[in-house]
Amino acid sequence: MEMKTLLPLRSSGSSYEWAVGVQRVLADLSRGPAASRVKSGENLFDCILEMRHETGMQDYAMPENASRGLDLFFGKLLPQNLAREFFHTTLPSMAKLALDLPNLLDEHVNKGQLYGFGVEHRLRVLSSQEPGIVMLSQEFIACLLTCSFLCLYPSQDRDKYNLPGINLNKFYACIYEKNHDRASQQHKMLCLLHYFERVCQGMPHGMVSYERKVLLPWQTSDILRFWSTSRVPLCKFQVSATGDISNHIGGEALEVDFANKYLGGGALRAGCVQEEIRFMTNPELIAGMLFLPMMEDNESIEIFGAECYSKYEGYGKSFTFVGDHQDERPRDQWGRRMTRIVAIDALARPGAQQYKSVLILREVNKAFCGFLDRHGGEDVGVATGNWGCGAFGGDLELKSLIQWLAASQAGRAYVKYYTFADPRAQRLEEIVEWMSRESWTVGDLWNILLDYGSKREAGVIDCGLFEWLRPVTGLRALFSQLTSIFSRRSSV
């Protein structure tokens, strides 16, 4: 699939340009309300429609409530001094950024550079089952996100190629619609406006890389035996009831995004849980939605360098933007902030089926794909938590141990597990301490999980995994199973 079919520009050979009408509107916007007459949400929506018409895009992709959402936000929800600042200062600067898209695109499409990984990192679609990396400058990302804000991307082919939506039109509609929580949507919008204000006042000059990671066939052949016979020791596992993944303490770590299979999930719609919140505080993550199609079961997406711009409090309906965040994480030799975020999608609402061996295998392979590092970062830990255990309905006890054995097999130095004070994780630390003290391996834990899953699926037991594993009262029940496991292992 060619990148040019996803872009709002006209292409002629290897060069790109705005349609004449769009260039005129953007030029007016860049000179402020005196030239553009755009000083309200309603005016802005009309301006967006005009530019879409100039590029030949249809109106069906622009719900009527998008106009009402913009009008409500800039007319009532946002303090008028801030609305005036946006229309007189930030929006003109954003328009100047958008006008520069053809030049920036030419640099990133036709003049891809070689970085330290030995491959060319130009802007392109990273299709399913195609491992690769795209490296973008933060300035180019700001330009791409401005086009999202102005709803300038064509949308007709995105579903066809399993790409998530990238325009903000549905997000604007969610601000207005009563079936969504307006307060959380308002604060998501505040995060985005703060990002644009920051980059327009002082453009960062670093880089962000977007990588599609794929478990190749050689890594999945005879995979059951691979897991059951692994002698890799379980890595360190730290449990914390406080704190969160994005602000982990104790060393550099790969931070897990509890992702939707479509990168970003509901970030540009009504969603406001873990993944969506991270995409609001680190908006450069959103750019990956432009060119990264849906993840398959053997795929993950790692984004390295996305800067954090906003502080927040709360979660879901209580999510609140609370101000500016100055990201002080160091940069690597290619200018990327030392922030590694990996998107792995859990099974959605699997119910009792999640105890089947084939689905346990799916989850451990997904986590293993995400935690693997082909670029020499194995000594980095993993910061994670209750992956897929909220709206997706996963069993926290099962999923926490799946992540532990996947991180261990991937060679990670440690797992820092944030429980978010979830009572279901009450016994996790006790279980981890016991297994660590007994020097369990990946294979030991894997075989126990399969044994538990088969008994749970067959209805032989109905207790939780931790209760079944309980080190004190459960030792007798486990003795014969462990003896059998160790016997099989010694015979391999």
Side-chain angles (χ1 to χ4, degrees), residues 273-325:
V273 288
Q274 196 255 11
E275 179 173 37
E276 290 86 0
I277 290 172
R278 197 68 195 271
F279 274 58
M280 294 298 106
T281 60
N282 300 55
E284 289 156 345
L285 296 170
I286 297 170
M289 298 169 68
L290 175 62
F291 53 85
L292 286 161
M294 180 189 79
M295 289 180 278
E296 300 289 351
D297 285 348
N298 65 327
E299 297 180 320
S300 62
I301 292 170
E302 184 172 335
I303 301 176
F304 191 145
E307 193 163 332
C308 180
Y309 293 85
S310 297
K311 294 178 182 177
Y312 77 96
E313 293 176 351
Y315 191 83
K317 290 184 178 181
S318 65
F319 172 74
T320 307
F321 166 77
V322 296
D324 178 59
H325 175 81

Side-chain angles (χ1 to χ4, degrees), residues 405-422:
L405 69 88
S408 301
Q409 187 66 43
R412 294 294 176 176
Y414 63 87
V415 173
K416 180 75 171 182
Y417 193 98
Y418 293 93
T419 69
F420 304 98
D422 192 314

Side-chain angles (χ1 to χ4, degrees), residues 439-479:
S439 301
W440 280 42
T441 66
V442 167
D444 298 335
L445 180 51
W446 168 257
N447 287 303
I448 283 294
L449 293 184
L450 285 192
D451 191 36
Y452 170 78
S454 64
K455 287 181 169 60
R456 180 74 182 262
E457 183 189 357
V460 176
I461 56 174
D462 61 1
C463 63
L465 175 59
F466 290 173
E467 178 68 19
W468 186 73
L469 278 172
R470 193 164 53 179
V472 178
T473 61
L475 277 179
R476 286 185 181 177
L478 286 173
F479 180 77

Side-chain angles (χ1 to χ4, degrees), residues 30-50:
S30 72
R31 292 192 290 271
S36 67
R37 307 297 182 191
V38 174
K39 49 188 176 182
S40 70
E42 184 179 8
N43 297 155
L44 177 58
F45 185 79
D46 290 340
C47 185
I48 289 171
L49 282 186
E50 183 179 354

Side-chain angles (χ1 to χ4, degrees), residues 130-395:
E130 179 189 340
I133 300 176
V134 166
M135 186 92 83
L136 305 178
S137 70
Q138 289 182 280
E139 181 181 14
F140 186 35
I141 293 168
C143 183
L144 294 174
L145 296 187
T146 293
C147 293
S148 294
F149 185 88
L150 296 174
C151 303
L152 290 174
Y153 292 106
S155 54
Q156 61 268 24
D157 289 332
R158 297 193 66 81
D159 288 344
K160 177 181 175 182
Y161 294 105
N162 285 324
L163 284 158
I166 187 67
N167 291 321
L168 268 63
N169 51 323
K170 292 181 180 178
F171 173 57
Y172 298 149
C174 290
I175 295 174
Y176 176 81
E177 292 165 359
K178 294 181 179 179
N179 56 322
H180 301 303
D181 181 70
R182 285 180 177 172
S184 62
Q185 301 308 303
Q186 172 188 351
H187 285 276
K188 285 170 63 178
M189 184 70 151
L190 288 172
C191 287
L192 293 178
L193 293 191
H194 179 66
Y195 162 75
F196 286 119
E197 179 183 7
R198 279 275 308 274
V199 297
C200 289
Q201 288 178 350
M203 183 62 66
H205 296 292
M207 305 291 290
V208 181
S209 65
Y210 305 79
E211 178 179 8
R212 181 178 289 276
K213 300 163 72 172
V214 182
L215 275 183
L216 300 173
W218 68 265
Q219 295 166 317
T220 56
S221 61
D222 199 14
I223 195 71
L224 285 171
R225 188 175 185 277
F226 168 80
W227 288 110
S228 65
T229 61
S230 173
R231 299 186 184 187
V232 174
L234 293 173
C235 65
K236 293 180 181 179
F237 193 105
Q238 303 167 300
V239 181
S240 178
T242 59
D244 64 73
I245 294 168
S246 61
N247 294 306
H248 61 274
I249 299 173
E252 191 179 340
L254 180 70
E255 302 168 12
V256 178
D257 165 18
F258 304 160
N260 188 287
K261 63 183 178 180
Y262 289 93
L263 184 67
L268 304 188
R269 299 190 304 279
C272 197
V273 288
Q274 196 255 11
E275 179 173 37
E276 290 86 0
I277 290 172
R278 197 68 195 271
F279 274 58
M280 294 298 106
T281 60
N282 300 55
E284 289 156 345
L285 296 170
I286 297 170
M289 298 169 68
L290 175 62
F291 53 85
L292 286 161
M294 180 189 79
M295 289 180 278
E296 300 289 351
D297 285 348
N298 65 327
E299 297 180 320
S300 62
I301 292 170
E302 184 172 335
I303 301 176
F304 191 145
E307 193 163 332
C308 180
Y309 293 85
S310 297
K311 294 178 182 177
Y312 77 96
E313 293 176 351
Y315 191 83
K317 290 184 178 181
S318 65
F319 172 74
T320 307
F321 166 77
V322 296
D324 178 59
H325 175 81
Q326 293 291 327
D327 197 328
E328 297 181 353
R329 294 193 186 188
R331 296 185 185 271
D332 71 0
Q333 65 198 81
W334 297 291
R336 300 178 298 180
R337 290 283 183 195
M338 298 296 286
T339 301
R340 296 175 168 93
I341 299 171
V342 64
I344 51 174
D345 56 301
L347 291 165
R349 294 168 287 280
Q353 299 298 309
Q354 66 187 294
Y355 305 107
K356 288 180 176 289
S357 60
V358 66
L359 296 189
I360 294 176
L361 180 63
R362 187 271 181 196
E363 296 295 79
V364 75
N365 285 345
K366 173 65 71 168
F368 182 54
C369 177
F371 300 162
L372 271 176
D373 194 316
R374 298 174 179 84
H375 310 297
E378 290 87 354
D379 58 337
V380 174
V382 174
T384 189
N386 308 327
W387 172 52
C389 300
F392 275 24
D395 181 335

